[in-house]
């Protein structure tokens, strides 16, 4: 096999850009989940929120003809499901695992139903226009680096910015300290006159917004179409990456990039070795990104004696009433 | 600690669910009214009826038969292929008096063979494409590779790099033979043409299939042959975005990218379902047959996008027409390379 066709200088930008495209929606959902889990709520509804964001974003972009309207509606769809999750998990204090799974199942059925009813009479699947990549003047013409870093669509840079913002909020602001306190020791936070429910609500809704945005970016920025279950499990990957990234948005995003690059690499290797009558079974390649993710979780789990996991993760907060 | 275990479990569940979260919700719809006239036929589909591909063609063919008053049609979309999903659907149709059940996926096979024994008075068809039949389970051919060969002849006129790209969901005989036939068709015009191929491992994930096509484009491929709905949507997206070419899979996909999809492999299910329906009506269905699908019977076809194919050199179009008539007359047999 000719490795130059996979990682040679002319092939490298294509490979890395493909990895970045895989990573962006997963990373967006992943940093949302990080916020939410830092506040002590385990949101397994992430996949459903991405899927709803994808459908909401697609339909709004399709009918309005404007991708920004699409992105806004995608975010709102995520916020809506985030509110449902927050109401069930924070206000009603019911089991977070069950709430999350219920939200995914609901979203899978509901989005397929709505899409089928809205578009099933059309002779061909509806499509929207693709946004143009920005070629940042000067920087984009640097050989190799320019091709890899400075020729993406605007939304890719927005996603990178959001990772930085979420990191900054979590670790450099009073708000972030409060969020972490609420997830680490809600009783102590409560004693310090922090409204635990309010901050958990906020974190879950923000998570919904980011997941909805991720789903909308997938359909608007990359695919220009919706299909039932189009996110195909990316929300679940994002949840796994939060554990891998030890509840740090930067590491979660980098984990997304690792997953995306492995996916891009395996597809590229398959093509380079001919594919049709390849020596290595393609099933092995298809499993590679998941194996790498598992390995990464194991390695990161071994790192550091102190667990980064929020202590109150998954536990509903009930205020102790003294008698 | 309890929570540590929970988080570990969640991680495992998350990965597992990611690997197999393609299930969809069943939706049933149909029309009532049973009389002596039309035959009650139920169509069970693995995907959605507006996919421009296998599911849509299957549904449209059945709908045409209904419009002609031949059958009374009910259908179920997006039914997963496991026994637990399909058994109750079949059970409901049998209880409602449906006489012919078209279980339109390869993956339904195992379940359908056991259900057929349970309901001996109902006739079944499954989309095996292998010729395995029993007394009341029929099968039909899926010779899409023959259409792929013909489209491959045209592809020789569209490629500039002389590298074709094949994207299949899985390396199963229908996909393998299709990708191979496409390459052989192109090589019959220009033997220096090569093809690179990959398998995405997923029928529905458009993003993954799109990136698979993109990886091939990065390595020089400029005409794509997809096998499966996700691969087709992904490959056509890449063709559209970077001014390359692709063919449509099982249905006419040129509306998706009129400037890039120059031909589509077609299975016309009206001509596939009709002989089965007539056999059931005449009481001749059992023992069930392996139904032929061919260009001659109009059940197999290549849809040309004439806006693009009219620009081809006349020699290639002539070669295409000659080969088509040779396949029809039996003078030429398209090689079936399944492995």
């Amino acid at each position: 096999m000719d490795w130059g066709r996979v990682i040679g200088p002319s092939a490298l930008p294509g490979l890395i850009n493909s990895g970045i495209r895989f990573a962006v929606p997963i990373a967006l959902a992943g940093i949302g989940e990080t916020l939410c889990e830092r506040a002590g709520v385990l949101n397994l509804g992430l996949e459903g929120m991405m899927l709803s964001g994808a459908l909401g974003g697609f339909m709004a972009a399709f009918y309005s003809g404007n991708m920004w309207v699409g992105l806004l509606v995608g975010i709102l769809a995520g916020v809506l499901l985030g509110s449902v999750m927050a109401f069930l998990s924070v206000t009603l204090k019911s089991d977070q695992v069950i709430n999350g799974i219920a939200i995914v199942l609901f979203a899978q059925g509901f989005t397929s139903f709505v899409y089928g009813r809205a578009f099933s009479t059309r002779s061909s699947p509806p499509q929207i226009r693709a946004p143009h990549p920005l070629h940042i003047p000067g920087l984009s013409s640097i050989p190799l680096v320019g091709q890899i870093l400075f020729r993406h669509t605007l939304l890719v840079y927005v996603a990178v910015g959001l990772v930085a913002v979420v990191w900054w909020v979590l670790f450099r602001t009073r708000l972030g300290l409060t969020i972490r306190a609420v997830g680490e020791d809600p009783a102590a936070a409560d004693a310090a006159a922090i409204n635990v429910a309010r901050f958990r609500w906020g974190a879950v809704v923000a998570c919904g917004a980011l997941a909805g945005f991720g789903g909308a970016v997938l359909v608007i920025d990359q695919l220009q179409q919706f299909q039932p279950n189009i996110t195909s499990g990316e929300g679940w990957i994002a949840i796994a990456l939060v554990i891998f990234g030890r509840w740090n948005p930067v590491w979660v995003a980098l984990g997304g990039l690792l997953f995306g690059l492995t996916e891009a690499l395996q597809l590229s290797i398959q093509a380079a070795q001919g594919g049709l009558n390849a020596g290595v079974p393609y099933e092995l390649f298809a499993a590679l990104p998941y194996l790498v993710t598992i390995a990464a979780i194991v390695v990161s789990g071994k790192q550091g004696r102190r667990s980064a996991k929020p202590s109150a993760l998954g536990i509903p907060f009930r205020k102790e009433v003294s008698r | 600690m309890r929570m540590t275990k929970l988080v570990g479990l969640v991680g495992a569940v998350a990965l597992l669910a990611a690997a197999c979260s393609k299930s969809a919700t069943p939706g049933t719809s149909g029309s009532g009214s049973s009389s002596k006239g039309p035959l009650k036929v139920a169509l069970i589909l693995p995907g959605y009826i507006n996919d421009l591909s296998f599911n849509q063609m299957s549904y449209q063919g059945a709908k045409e038969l209904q419009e002609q008053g031949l059958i009374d049609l009910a259908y179920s979309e997006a039914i997963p292929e496991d026994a637990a999903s399909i058994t109750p659907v079949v059970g409901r149709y049998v209880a409602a008096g449906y006489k012919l059940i078209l279980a339109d996926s390869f993956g339904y096979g195992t379940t359908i063979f056991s259900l057929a024994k349970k309901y001996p008075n109902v006739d079944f068809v499954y989309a095996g494409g292998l010729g395995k039949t029993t007394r009341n389970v029929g099968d039909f051919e899926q010779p899409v590779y023959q259409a792929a060969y013909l489209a491959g002849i045209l592809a020789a006129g569209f490629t500039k790099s002389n590298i074709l790209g094949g994207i299949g969901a899985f390396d199963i005989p229908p996909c393998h033979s299709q990708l191979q036939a496409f390459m052989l068709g192109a090589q019959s015009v220009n033997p220096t043409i090569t093809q690179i191929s990959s398998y995405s491992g997923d029928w529905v994930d458009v993003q993954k299939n799109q990136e698979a096509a993109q990886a091939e484009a990065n390595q020089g491929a400029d005409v794509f042959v997809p096998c499966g709905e996700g691969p087709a949507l992904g490959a056509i997206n890449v063709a559209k975005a970077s001014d390359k070419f692709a063919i449509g899979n099982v249905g006419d996909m040129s509306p998706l990218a009129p400037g890039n999809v120059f031909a589509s492999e077609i299975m016309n299910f009206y001509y596939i379902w009709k002989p089965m329906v007539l056999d059931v009506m005449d009481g001749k269905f059992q023992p069930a047959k392996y139904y032929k699908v061919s260009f001659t019977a109009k059940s197999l076809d290549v849809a040309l996008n004439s806006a693009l194919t009219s620009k081809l050199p006349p020699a290639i179009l002539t070669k295409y027409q000659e080969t088509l008539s040779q396949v029809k007359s039996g003078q030429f047999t398209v090689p079936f390379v399944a492995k």
Side-chain angles (χ1 to χ4, degrees), chain B residues 156-332:
Chain B
F158 284 101
T159 179
K160 293 181 194 85
S161 63
N162 283 346
I163 303 174
L164 311 176
I167 305 106
F170 293 93
D171 191 4
I172 52 177
C175 280
H176 198 101
S177 60
Q178 209 174 311
L179 303 195
Q180 279 285 356
F182 188 74
M183 180 181 76
L184 293 174
Q187 286 173 344
S188 75
V189 178
N190 176 358
T192 64
I193 287 177
T194 56
Q195 180 167 318
I196 53 180
S197 302
S198 53
Y199 295 99
S200 65
D202 203 309
W203 294 109
V204 292
D205 187 339
V206 182
Q207 188 196 27
K208 194 181 283 186
N209 283 295
Q210 183 167 316
E211 294 298 335
Q214 187 63 55
E216 292 177 356
N218 293 347
Q219 294 178 28
D222 62 357
V223 182
F224 300 108
V225 51
C227 176
E229 182 203 336
L233 294 172
I236 289 171
N237 251 3
V238 171
K240 205 169 144 186
S242 51
D243 214 14
K244 295 180 166 54
F245 296 96
I247 66 166
N249 183 236
V250 183
D252 185 357
M253 295 184 159
S254 58
L256 285 172
N260 312 86
V261 178
F262 58 88
S264 296
E265 310 144 339
I266 304 283
M267 278 176 83
N268 190 332
F269 280 82
Y270 172 79
Y271 295 103
I272 297 176
W273 301 140
K274 196 177 178 181
M276 302 169 184
V277 167
L278 293 178
D279 277 353
V280 176
M281 284 176 148
D282 299 344
K284 288 193 303 200
F285 185 84
Q286 300 183 4
K289 292 190 279 277
Y290 183 38
Y291 287 86
K292 293 248 172 294
V293 171
S294 68
F295 286 108
T296 340
K298 294 187 191 162
S299 42
L300 184 67
D301 204 357
V302 181
L304 299 184
N305 177 357
S306 55
L308 291 175
T309 51
S310 59
K311 291 178 197 151
L312 283 171
I316 287 183
L317 282 173
T318 315
K319 168 109 183 157
Y320 169 84
Q321 292 298 349
E322 277 174 12
T323 314
L324 179 60
S325 54
Q326 283 172 355
V327 172
K328 278 184 178 170
S329 65
Q331 280 171 280
F332 176 72

Side-chain angles (χ1 to χ4, degrees), chain A residues 239-308:
Chain A
I239 293 174
L241 289 174
V242 173
I243 303 170
F244 158 80
R246 296 171 64 75
W247 293 268
N248 179 333
V250 173
W251 283 106
V252 171
L254 288 175
L257 192 59
L258 174 71
F259 178 83
L261 285 174
T262 319
E263 192 78 273
L265 184 68
Q266 68 96 352
L267 291 171
S268 203
I269 293 175
Q270 273 200 59
Q273 64 165 1
L276 259 186
N277 292 302
V280 186
Y282 74 96
E283 289 93 339
L284 263 183
F285 287 115
L288 198 62
Y290 300 92
L291 293 176
V292 167
T293 310
I294 292 173
I297 288 175
V298 170
V299 170
S300 84
K302 293 270 176 210
Q303 297 261 315
R305 287 168 59 90
R306 209 179 69 86
S307 167

Side-chain angles (χ1 to χ4, degrees), chain A residues 7-282:
Chain A
I7 48 171
S10 63
L12 209 53
L15 179 74
I16 293 176
N17 289 336
S18 173
I20 291 173
R21 284 192 297 269
F22 273 120
V24 165
I26 300 175
L28 283 170
I31 57 172
E33 181 73 17
T34 308
L35 259 181
C36 183
E37 293 195 12
R38 277 285 183 178
V41 180
L42 179 64
N43 176 18
L44 293 191
L46 207 62
E47 169 79 0
M49 293 170 190
M50 285 186 85
L51 197 50
S52 308
L55 179 69
F58 173 76
M59 286 181 73
F62 180 77
Y63 286 119
S64 72
N66 184 325
M67 73 173 229
W68 298 105
V69 175
L71 290 167
L72 191 68
V73 173
I75 292 170
L76 287 177
V79 165
L80 209 64
L81 275 189
S83 308
V84 174
M85 179 71 191
F87 177 70
L88 294 171
S89 308
V90 181
T91 307
L92 299 184
K93 303 180 177 60
S94 54
D95 189 304
Q96 294 174 8
V97 171
I98 293 175
N99 297 341
I101 291 173
I103 282 175
V104 175
L105 294 176
F106 164 76
Q108 285 178 339
F110 186 72
T111 52
S112 299
F113 173 79
V114 169
Y115 178 75
R117 287 304 160 269
F119 297 110
S120 121
T121 49
R122 299 172 66 90
S123 60
S124 71
Q127 289 182 305
I128 51 179
R129 289 227 327 266
H132 290 290
L134 298 173
H135 284 209
I136 297 174
L139 292 175
S140 68
S141 37
I142 304 170
L144 218 56
V145 178
Q147 286 170 294
I148 291 170
L149 292 181
F150 301 112
R151 292 191 184 179
H152 294 283
T153 54
L154 180 58
L155 291 173
V156 173
Y157 303 112
V158 170
V160 174
L162 281 171
V163 173
V165 167
V166 171
W167 178 86
W168 184 76
V169 167
L170 258 183
F171 297 113
R172 289 290 180 274
T173 66
R174 175 177 275 278
L175 172 65
L177 185 64
T178 314
I179 291 172
R180 286 183 288 138
V182 157
E184 206 62 49
D185 193 343
D190 184 61
I194 291 169
N195 186 335
V196 173
R198 185 194 292 169
F199 282 96
R200 285 193 169 178
W201 250 90
V204 177
V205 169
C207 171
L210 283 163
F213 184 57
V217 167
L218 175 70
V219 292
I220 292 171
D221 209 30
Q222 300 189 19
L223 307 179
Q224 290 83 48
Q225 59 190 306
F226 185 85
Q227 289 290 317
N229 281 316
I230 191 131
T231 49
S232 24
E234 293 188 2
W236 297 108
I237 294 287
I239 293 174
L241 289 174
V242 173
I243 303 170
F244 158 80
R246 296 171 64 75
W247 293 268
N248 179 333
V250 173
W251 283 106
V252 171
L254 288 175
L257 192 59
L258 174 71
F259 178 83
L261 285 174
T262 319
E263 192 78 273
L265 184 68
Q266 68 96 352
L267 291 171
S268 203
I269 293 175
Q270 273 200 59
Q273 64 165 1
L276 259 186
N277 292 302
V280 186
Y282 74 96

